[in-house]
């Protein structure tokens, strides 16, 4: 793969990435894992605004559907050992470098969340890494998946009148991975934990029930989807176990996801992950935060799965591929060197 790094910015412990439609054009948000900033960039990597100076602890950010720049974000998730005060907030633009931040719901250990839309109704889905914590590396209280219907008007929601969440799946040890999937006009979520990977489907109609299906029972840290071999069937690339070093490829066979390949090399602390169609082929961009700490691309070369190094010793926490003026962009939060990096992918 031919790739060029076009711009970098320094942000200590940079972590979360999200697209944001704001003032008539697409932007990219980048926020820090520790106490630090959230920054707004154009697609060429130029800094446009500072959204907040702190408190950080941002694992996820998602735009409010149909809004001009309003988005939800996690605050105060600083690590698995320091997230009792984690919450989901709403950020609303009021002017350049001037954003109102208010609490929507306090949810200890909320790690990933998203907004899923079905039948014209938006739903909040929030995944808590664990449910309690008493000492370092305490995993005795497994996490949960929480949901609620998201009101069209959030003006009355605040720290005194918070969203009311309901758990739909409990007992999820190390509830870490999340991926939104959109196919055939439907939107659902894949959620990964030590218990396996689960398909979470919003209600078919207002007031209906959520559906949770087991996709695999294998431990998983993160996953993404792409048609790597071009046969019209979407494969699932999985990092395993929690913050682990193994990459597996699963394929749906007779209605079940079966592991068809395990990459032979270890990728210590595998973390950043994004599946995309690049130059007409399914590709997964991944990163790992220990060992060689490389930014990588997993592709199918016609005979098997291969891993290409895109950037060395950068330690990506999260990655995202996006389209920009007929080109393919890639942004990576290279957390281990405090670098937000913007790349252009020129060819496979």
């Amino acid at each position: 793969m031919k790739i060029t790094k076009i711009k970098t910015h320094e942000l200590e412990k940079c972590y979360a990435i999200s697209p944001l439609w704001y003032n008539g054009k697409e932007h990219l948000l980048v926020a820090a894992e520790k106490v630090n900033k959230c920054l707004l960039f154009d697609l060429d990597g130029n800094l446009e605004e500072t959204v907040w100076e702190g408190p950080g602890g941002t694992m996820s950010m998602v735009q409010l559907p149909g809004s001009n720049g309003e988005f939800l974000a996690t605050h105060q998730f600083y690590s698995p050992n320091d997230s009792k005060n984690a919450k989901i907030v709403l950020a609303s633009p009021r002017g350049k470098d001037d954003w109102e931040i208010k609490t929507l719901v306090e949810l200890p250990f909320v790690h990933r969340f998203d907004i899923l839309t079905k039948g014209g109704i938006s739903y909040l889905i929030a995944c808590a890494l664990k449910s309690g914590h008493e000492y370092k590396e305490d995993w005795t209280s497994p996490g949960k998946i929480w949901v609620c219907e998201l009101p069209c008007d959030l003006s009355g929601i605040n720290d005194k009148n918070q969203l009311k969440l309901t758990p739909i799946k409990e007992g999820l040890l190390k509830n870490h991975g999340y991926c939104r999937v959109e196919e055939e006009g439907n939107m659902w979520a894949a959620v990964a934990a030590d218990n396996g990977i689960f398909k979470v489907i919003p209600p078919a109609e207002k007031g209906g029930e959520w559906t949770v299906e087991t996709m695999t029972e294998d431990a998983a840290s993160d996953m993404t989807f792409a048609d790597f071999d071009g046969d019209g069937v979407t494969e699932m690339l999985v990092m395993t176990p929690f913050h682990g070093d193994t990459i597996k490829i699963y394929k749906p066979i007779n209605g079940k996801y079966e592991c068809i390949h395990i990459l032979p090399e270890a990728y210590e602390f595998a973390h950043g992950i994004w599946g995309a169609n690049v130059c007409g082929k399914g590709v997964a961009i991944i990163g790992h935060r220990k060992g060689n700490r490389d930014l990588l691309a997993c592709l199918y070369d016609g005979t098997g799965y291969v891993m290409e190094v895109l950037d060395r010793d950068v330690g990506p926490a999260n990655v995202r591929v996006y389209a920009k003026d007929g080109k393919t962009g890639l942004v990576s939060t290279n957390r281990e060197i405090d670098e937000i990096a913007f790349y252009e992918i020129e060819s496979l």
Side-chain angles (χ1 to χ4, degrees):
M1 180 180 289
K2 188 176 180 182
I3 186 169
T4 303
K5 184 182 285 188
I6 60 170
K7 192 153 293 187
T8 63
H9 298 266
E10 183 178 353
L11 179 62
E12 185 177 10
K13 300 298 182 284
C14 52
Y15 188 91
I17 303 168
S18 179
L20 188 75
W21 182 259
Y22 178 45
N23 288 345
K25 64 177 185 177
E26 196 74 57
H27 294 78
L28 289 162
L29 291 163
V30 177
E33 176 181 6
K34 301 300 183 182
V35 178
N36 217 314
K37 299 176 182 180
C38 174
L39 303 173
L40 181 74
F41 298 92
D42 68 17
L43 298 189
D44 291 317
N46 298 305
L47 177 61
E48 292 199 349
E49 294 190 40
T50 296
V51 178
W52 63 68
E53 297 285 345
T58 303
M59 298 289 102
S60 303
M61 298 179 287
V62 181
Q63 179 152 13
L64 198 62
S67 72
N68 178 31
E70 287 192 293
F71 68 96
L72 277 57
T74 45
H75 272 184
Q76 294 180 256
F77 186 109
Y78 297 121
S79 76
N81 295 312
D82 183 13
S83 298
K84 282 187 176 182
N85 297 318
K87 63 184 73 173
I88 297 175
V89 303
L90 172 66
S92 303
R94 297 184 297 195
K96 183 172 174 56
D97 297 317
D98 181 15
W99 297 67
E100 179 186 23
I101 312 296
K102 71 172 184 176
T103 299
L104 295 184
V105 61
E106 295 167 351
L107 183 58
F109 305 100
V110 59
H111 184 254
R112 303 294 188 204
F113 77 87
D114 198 4
I115 300 171
L116 301 179
T117 302
K118 192 161 188 177
I121 300 172
S122 292
Y123 300 92
L124 179 68
I125 174 172
C127 302
L129 184 71
K130 58 176 76 170
S131 297
H133 186 90
E134 297 302 327
Y135 52 86
K136 190 174 182 179
E137 301 304 321
D138 179 9
W139 295 103
T140 57
S141 300
K144 303 177 184 180
I145 302 174
W146 298 84
V147 298
C148 74
E149 185 177 321
L150 199 62
C152 295
D153 182 4
L154 291 173
S155 61
I157 305 297
N158 51 53
D159 58 344
K160 305 299 183 186
N161 180 39
Q162 300 185 18
L163 295 173
K164 305 297 188 294
L165 302 179
T166 301
I168 57 168
K169 181 73 175 178
E170 303 189 25
L172 297 177
L173 182 62
K174 299 178 180 176
N175 179 22
H176 182 267
Y178 181 90
C179 182
R180 181 198 294 178
V181 181
E182 298 181 51
E183 56 183 7
E184 299 175 353
N186 291 313
M187 188 181 293
W188 55 274
V191 176
D194 265 14
N195 315 60
I197 299 175
F198 303 91
K199 182 176 184 177
V200 185
I201 307 169
E205 56 189 23
K206 185 178 178 64
E209 297 294 318
W210 287 73
T211 303
V212 182
E213 302 172 359
T214 301
M215 299 175 68
T216 77
E217 295 182 351
D218 302 334
S221 188
D222 276 293
M223 69 267 116
T224 193
F225 298 83
D227 180 8
F228 293 101
D229 57 14
D231 67 350
V233 177
T234 301
E235 289 80 37
M236 178 170 65
L237 182 145
V238 177
M239 296 171 166
T240 181
F242 173 66
H243 286 173
D245 64 2
T246 302
I247 307 296
K248 296 182 177 181
I249 308 292
Y250 289 75
K251 197 177 187 75
I253 300 172
N254 298 324
K256 277 188 66 176
Y257 274 88
E258 304 284 352
C259 181
I260 60 169
H261 184 73
I262 302 175
L263 274 74
E265 189 172 341
Y267 301 96
E268 192 177 356
F269 204 156
H271 203 276
I273 185 170
W274 190 262
N277 189 288
V278 178
C279 302
K281 290 190 65 174
V283 176
I285 307 297
I286 69 171
H288 65 117
R289 290 168 48 184
K290 290 186 178 178
N292 291 337
R293 308 193 308 180
D294 291 334
L295 176 66
L296 304 148
C298 183
L299 312 97
Y300 188 81
D301 69 356
T303 59
Y305 291 89
V306 296
M307 199 75 83
E308 292 187 13
V309 177
L310 306 181
D311 205 354
R312 296 186 182 277
D313 197 22
V314 292
N318 285 291
V319 295
R320 188 178 186 98
V321 175
Y322 60 95
K324 45 167 279 185
D325 299 326
K327 300 178 181 178
T328 301
L330 166 64
V331 58
S332 177
T333 46
N334 296 333
R335 178 193 183 276
E336 305 311 315
I337 62 170
D338 301 328
E339 177 190 76
I340 303 167
F342 292 85
Y343 305 82
E344 284 185 2
I345 301 172
E346 297 177 36
S347 64
L348 294 183

